[in-house]
Amino acid sequence: MTKNSAAVAEQHQGLISISDGIATVEIAPAAGGALASYRWRQNGSVVDWLRPADPAAIGRRDAGAMACFPLVPYSNRIRGGRFAFAGRTVELPTNSDDPHYEHGHGWRRSWTVVRHEASSTVLSYRHAADSWPWSYEARQAISLIDGGLAIALSLRNLSDTPMPAGFGLHPYFPSTPWTHVQARVSGMWETDAEILPTIHIPPPPGANPTTGFDVSETDFDTVFTGWSRRARISWPEHGRQLDIEAEAPLDFLVLYTPPGEPFFCAEPVSNITDAFNRRADTGIETGCIVLAPGHMRSASVRFTPSREI
């Protein structure tokens, strides 16, 4: 396929791409501002560092089947999609398939391309107050340098009253029988049948940053606390690894390792699950951010691959 025909195909699929000569990232602005792929092409070989979206997922604009999508204005679930804040009760549009209005708005809506250059792009999503009674703007600055991927995510309150908030990224990684994860954490949340937090407990032995754990031997849908904002994923049978480095306030790590699936998730996020409903709980660090009118919080996540371990 020629360069021009590839560009036409991308436009037809609703994709834009960036490249630095080592890595290429495809982005689907209309599919929740999600990344459709992040791959290296070298010496005739292809390495997908994130789970690539298939054409059907791209066609139906399914952010949940993409490589990575943004989490705004909070991460994970809100119990029953309902919480109280500053004397106001907020009720989000839940249904039987989504009873806790998981991951907020960003992954459900189309994003606007603000700037698009060869190796970087900026996307924006503006939310007008509705059942979520605050207006806000979220931005993603996505860039490549020396084959590494950086995503800077920001959230600004455009309303005239304080807004509770959180944000993060939801990347999907290829899972193989030997995929290994290392991350320094100090605790984790046990959950109920609806994956909502119940008790904060010490982490499992596999959370030791020296030994880590094999993804194929775990079944996590878990928020880990006390995260050092560093993690390493390795695929030893392929001789490669990927380092993740996040900035504050992305102080929590969500691991989702569904048994038997060819993917898993390691999500740098700023808040625990159901953070808005747990703000008043004594002794609990929820990560809930309160954005004053006009104020913004931002953080970057860097993904640094290597083919030598």
Side-chain angles (χ1 to χ4, degrees):
M1 181 180 290
T2 67
K3 183 179 291 187
N4 286 341
S5 62
V8 170
E10 283 187 351
Q11 290 173 2
H12 179 71
Q13 292 178 319
L15 299 178
I16 62 173
S17 67
I18 58 175
S19 179
D20 66 352
I22 300 173
T24 299
V25 168
E26 294 178 309
I27 303 147
L35 274 59
S37 66
Y38 167 38
R39 59 173 54 107
W40 281 9
R41 296 182 186 271
Q42 289 184 318
N43 303 320
S45 66
V46 176
V47 176
D48 279 299
W49 296 105
L50 296 173
R51 176 197 67 177
D54 62 32
I58 295 168
R60 65 178 183 267
R61 299 180 179 180
D62 182 359
M66 297 286 181
C68 178
F69 61 81
L71 303 169
V72 292
Y74 58 85
S75 164
N76 225 293
R77 299 160 177 83
I78 295 175
R79 187 179 291 274
R82 188 174 188 272
F83 67 96
F85 181 81
R88 168 188 279 169
T89 297
V90 177
E91 296 190 54
L92 300 172
T94 60
N95 57 55
S96 59
D97 293 327
D98 186 21
H100 308 295
Y101 206 71
E102 191 170 6
H103 299 323
H105 310 116
W107 70 312
R108 306 167 190 264
R109 311 290 171 82
S110 180
W111 290 56
T112 299
V113 179
V114 176
R115 187 177 74 245
H116 184 208
E117 300 174 352
S119 60
S120 66
T121 191
V122 177
L123 306 182
S124 173
Y125 166 66
R126 280 204 169 211
H127 185 86
D130 49 17
S131 58
W132 177 269
W134 299 276
S135 296
Y136 65 86
E137 181 185 33
R139 286 202 172 202
Q140 295 182 85
I142 304 163
S143 59
L144 293 169
I145 184 169
D146 295 332
L149 168 66
I151 303 176
L153 188 62
S154 66
L155 187 63
R156 184 187 300 275
N157 180 9
L158 301 179
S159 295
D160 57 5
T161 60
M163 181 182 82
F167 60 101
L169 293 176
H170 197 304
Y172 291 80
F173 301 94
S175 178
T176 68
W178 299 100
T179 304
H180 195 73
V181 176
Q182 294 170 265
R184 184 184 298 276
V185 297
S186 62
M188 60 180 277
W189 280 96
E190 284 193 338
T191 58
D192 60 20
E194 296 182 271
I195 322 298
L196 289 158
T198 55
I199 303 171
H200 188 251
I201 61 173
N208 182 306
T210 302
T211 59
F213 58 84
D214 292 327
V215 170
S216 63
E217 297 178 357
T218 65
D219 183 6
F220 288 134
D221 195 345
T222 304
V223 178
F224 287 87
T225 61
W227 183 41
S228 67
R229 301 195 297 276
R230 305 287 186 276
R232 172 168 289 176
I233 301 168
S234 58
W235 296 269
E237 72 270 44
H238 299 305
R240 63 178 187 257
Q241 68 183 28
L242 179 72
D243 288 325
I244 303 172
E245 182 180 358
E247 295 177 345
L250 304 180
D251 298 331
F252 302 89
L253 180 67
V254 178
L255 291 178
Y256 176 48
T257 60
E261 295 289 349
F263 66 85
F264 74 101
C265 302
E267 308 160 36
V269 301
S270 68
N271 62 273
I272 69 167
T273 303
D274 202 27
F276 302 156
N277 282 315
R278 306 293 302 256
R279 288 181 66 239
D281 291 4
T282 303
I284 292 177
E285 178 53 58
T286 66
C288 177
I289 297 166
V290 178
L291 284 177
H295 283 216
M296 179 184 75
R297 290 297 300 270
S298 63
S300 292
V301 181
R302 288 175 290 278
F303 302 90
T304 304
S306 171
R307 297 195 70 173
E308 294 181 3
I309 299 178

